[in-house]
Amino acid sequence: MIIVADNLTITHPDVSDAIAARNPEPIRALVMACVDAGAGAIDINPGPLTKNASEIMTFLVETVQAATAKPILLDTTSAEGVAAGLSAAKNRVIINGFSLEPQKCENILPLARQFDVDIIGYVLRPDSSVPTDEAEFYEITLSLLEAAQKAGVSHERLIIDPVVAPLIWENGAAHNRALLSFLHRLDDLAGTRLRRIAGLSNLSAGPAPKRKKQLLQRAFLPMMASAGLDMVLMDVFQKGGMATARACGLITGEKIFSWAAID
Amino acid sequence: MIIVADNLTITHPDVSDAIAARNPEPIRALVMACVDAGAGAIDINPGPLTKNASEIMTFLVETVQAATAKPILLDTTSAEGVAAGLSAAKNRVIINGFSLEPQKCENILPLARQFDVDIIGYVLRPDSSVPTDEAEFYEITLSLLEAAQKAGVSHERLIIDPVVAPLIWENGAAHNRALLSFLHRLDDLAGTRLRRIAGLSNLSAGPAPKRKKQLLQRAFLPMMASAGLDMVLMDVFQKGGMATARACGLITGEKIFSWAAID
């Protein structure tokens, strides 16, 4: 399982300040710390980029690339921002991402073909709400595959994100159980191996102590790993979570087991 | 998921000393501490009981029942010991357990019918070695169901134990992946809901730091919980593992989610 750092996000004040000041130093330091902590890729999340989209994404991609050669994920709803990031990128890039929302299918999805890169497809309804049962996860995934095919993007380029729901939502737990079952059966459904990614922090969204949030995440991550998750987007500074992720790799057979491989 | 304490075992020197001296006090104290820590049932493991089987098991069952009304598991290969435990029991009892080994089918399995109690069936070959692929898990389970039926024990009385393998074994990781897949598909195979239990500590058998063992167990437990485990046999004094088990219950929908339900 590749661990993608979710730490470079506009919601962290240090990051938003650095972006506002176009100050690369705190971002470089953050990225190097992420890699040090075990990140295999860096998600760049500057928010929706309603203005200066090209300039900000170019600044971020160049700054991240000055710190690491690891793959980068372009995590914004701005097609202009994604395109600028793709143009500036030398590292491997994944577009994060598109959904059945018409604006995203029309403006973001075609960039995956144009730049010949991987793209994440969110298992969300066209209005961005989450599906409630397993059958709907399948239907939406088929629609994502169809949309990708129409845009000339092959299923090998697609990475499915089933979108973890907050447990505090009324249907959150039921949604996440359907999600796990969906992940387990996805290959049978699709008749081929589709890669999958999920963001872990959403599980514990809401006001609660960090300790409780991390405990939930550490319990849910092995469930998703065992269901065949290829990449997880998470806080790489969460030591317990990172140790759990590595332990999962030993159990799922990604790495040969040895006691020395355990933190 | 019911948490069964594996702490009352002859392999702990305090327990073996107390058994040798027929001293109930340390055992009572241990059992009360287990219940305090969250145990929902107590496994009584006095070893193979090659002599004084009846007397020792009677002593243990009476001692445990003086400390708790929780269910007890009679965990010995001695049919005489199991029979004595069943005769002494007032609490709910589970026989732990039988396998396809002829001696167990002949001597232990019939006791489940005679005393009308639940019995655990180990997914092991008749020579007690572990199966290596998922298909063999199914075959053995079907043989366990057949043996039970022959002995007049209904499948509702049966609790399947797929027997976790040490990761340090050459085929340990592959075995445990087959085990998870087996647990996920068991109901479809059996055409009915079969209860399942597993012992967690076997995963990390071998000489290694406790910290590493516990990390592995905390990563594997959610995988089994998500695959539909009903009962887990584990060290209830492992605080992190117990917190993980409770978090699993919130994710699998066993309990309604609330932040207050998390340690």
Side-chain angles (χ1 to χ4, degrees):
Chain A
M1 207 163 44
I2 296 163
I3 298 167
V4 183
D6 73 2
N7 304 76
L8 179 46
T9 168
I10 192 83
T11 58
H12 289 186
D14 290 358
V15 172
S16 64
D17 289 353
I19 293 177
R22 307 290 191 273
N23 177 8
E25 216 31 65
I27 294 169
R28 248 167 54 101
L30 175 69
V31 170
M32 286 168 78
C34 287
V35 171
D36 232 42
I42 307 289
D43 188 72
I44 301 178
N45 181 354
L49 290 177
T50 46
K51 52 182 184 173
N52 305 322
S54 296
E55 189 226 331
I56 291 174
M57 193 54 108
T58 303
F59 161 73
L60 284 170
V61 167
E62 286 174 350
T63 303
V64 172
Q65 289 181 157
T68 183
K70 303 260 181 210
I72 52 181
L73 282 70
L74 302 176
D75 190 354
T76 178
T77 52
S78 161
E80 186 195 332
V82 172
L86 286 161
S87 298
K90 290 172 195 150
N91 296 8
R92 197 186 135 209
V93 187
I94 299 170
I95 300 172
N96 187 15
F98 85 106
S99 69
L100 298 177
E101 206 183 306
Q103 184 271 334
K104 289 187 183 158
C105 278
E106 282 156 33
N107 302 325
I108 293 186
L109 179 54
L111 294 171
R113 186 184 179 196
Q114 192 184 328
F115 288 84
D116 193 24
V117 297
D118 290 342
I119 184 164
I120 293 169
Y122 304 123
V123 183
L124 291 173
R125 296 177 183 144
D127 68 357
S128 287
S129 63
V130 301
T132 51
D133 65 24
E134 202 184 323
E136 204 183 350
F137 276 89
Y138 294 139
E139 285 160 30
I140 294 172
T141 300
L142 291 176
S143 300
L144 289 170
L145 282 163
E146 267 174 39
Q149 199 178 18
K150 239 189 244 174
V153 175
S154 83
H155 67 267
E156 284 98 351
R157 280 290 183 211
L158 200 59
I159 304 172
I160 298 294
D161 183 338
V163 190
V164 174
L167 280 172
I168 199 68
W169 283 6
E170 201 184 332
N171 292 320
H175 170 93
N176 293 334
R177 286 197 297 281
L179 178 156
L180 289 170
S181 188
F182 164 77
L183 286 178
H184 273 286
R185 297 172 201 235
L186 178 55
D187 291 343
D188 285 346
L189 159 86
T192 182
R193 169 82 191 150
L194 287 176
R195 284 177 295 162
R196 358 31 240 268
I197 188 171
L200 194 54
S201 66
N202 224 23
L203 182 78
S204 55
K210 213 171 186 178
R211 178 178 51 80
K212 295 190 177 196
K213 292 183 171 216
Q214 295 187 349
L215 173 63
L216 283 177
Q217 292 183 26
R218 285 199 310 272
F220 194 55
L221 180 56
M223 297 183 184
M224 291 204 291
S226 161
L229 202 69
D230 299 277
M231 309 174 85
V232 62
L233 189 71
M234 64 183 282
D235 172 7
V236 296
F237 299 140
Q238 220 188 101
K239 280 193 182 174
M242 293 297 280
T244 298
R246 285 187 286 264
C248 287
L250 296 171
I251 296 171
T252 59
E254 197 177 297
K255 286 184 217 148
I256 303 291
F257 179 78
S258 79
W259 289 111
I262 302 172
D263 301 320
Chain B
M1 207 164 42
I2 297 163
I3 297 167
V4 184
D6 72 3
N7 304 76
L8 180 45
T9 168
I10 191 84
T11 58
H12 288 185
D14 289 359
V15 173
S16 65
D17 289 354
I19 294 176
R22 306 291 191 274
N23 178 6
E25 216 30 67
I27 295 169
R28 249 169 52 103
L30 175 68
V31 170
M32 287 167 77
C34 286
V35 171
D36 232 42
I42 307 289
D43 188 74
I44 301 178
N45 181 355
L49 291 177
T50 47
K51 50 182 186 174
N52 305 323
S54 297
E55 190 226 329
I56 292 174
M57 194 54 108
T58 304
F59 161 73
L60 285 170
V61 167
E62 287 174 349
T63 303
V64 172
Q65 289 180 155
T68 183
K70 303 261 180 208
I72 53 182
L73 282 70
L74 303 176
D75 189 354
T76 177
T77 52
S78 161
E80 187 194 330
V82 172
L86 286 161
S87 297
K90 290 173 196 149
N91 296 7
R92 195 186 135 209
V93 188
I94 299 169
I95 300 173
N96 186 14
F98 85 107
S99 68
L100 298 178
E101 206 183 306
Q103 185 270 334
K104 288 185 185 160
C105 276
E106 282 156 32
N107 302 324
I108 294 186
L109 179 53
L111 294 171
R113 185 184 181 194
Q114 193 183 329
F115 288 84
D116 194 23
V117 297
D118 290 342
I119 184 165
I120 293 169
Y122 304 122
V123 183
L124 292 172
R125 296 176 183 145
D127 68 359
S128 287
S129 62
V130 300
T132 50
D133 65 23
E134 202 183 325
E136 204 182 349
F137 276 91
Y138 295 138
E139 285 161 28
I140 294 172
T141 301
L142 291 176
S143 300
L144 289 170
L145 282 163
E146 267 174 39
Q149 198 178 21
K150 236 188 245 173
V153 176
S154 82
H155 68 266
E156 284 98 352
R157 279 290 184 211
L158 199 58
I159 304 172
I160 298 294
D161 183 338
V163 190
V164 174
L167 279 173
I168 198 69
W169 283 6
E170 201 185 330
N171 292 319
H175 170 93
N176 293 335
R177 286 195 297 281
L179 178 156
L180 289 170
S181 188
F182 164 76
L183 286 178
H184 273 285
R185 297 172 200 237
L186 179 54
D187 290 344
D188 284 345
L189 160 87
T192 182
R193 169 82 193 150
L194 287 176
R195 283 176 297 162
R196 0 31 239 266
I197 187 171
L200 194 55
S201 66
N202 224 25
L203 181 79
S204 54
K210 213 172 186 175
R211 175 179 53 80
K212 295 190 177 196
K213 292 184 172 216
Q214 294 186 351
L215 173 62
L216 283 177
Q217 293 182 27
R218 286 198 310 271
F220 194 56
L221 180 56
M223 296 183 186
M224 291 203 292
S226 161
L229 202 69
D230 299 279
M231 310 174 84
V232 61
L233 189 71
M234 64 183 283
D235 173 6
V236 297
F237 299 141
Q238 220 188 101
K239 280 193 183 174
M242 293 296 281
T244 298
R246 286 187 285 264
C248 287
L250 296 172
I251 295 171
T252 61
E254 196 178 299
K255 286 182 218 149
I256 302 292
F257 179 78
S258 78
W259 289 111
I262 302 172
D263 301 320

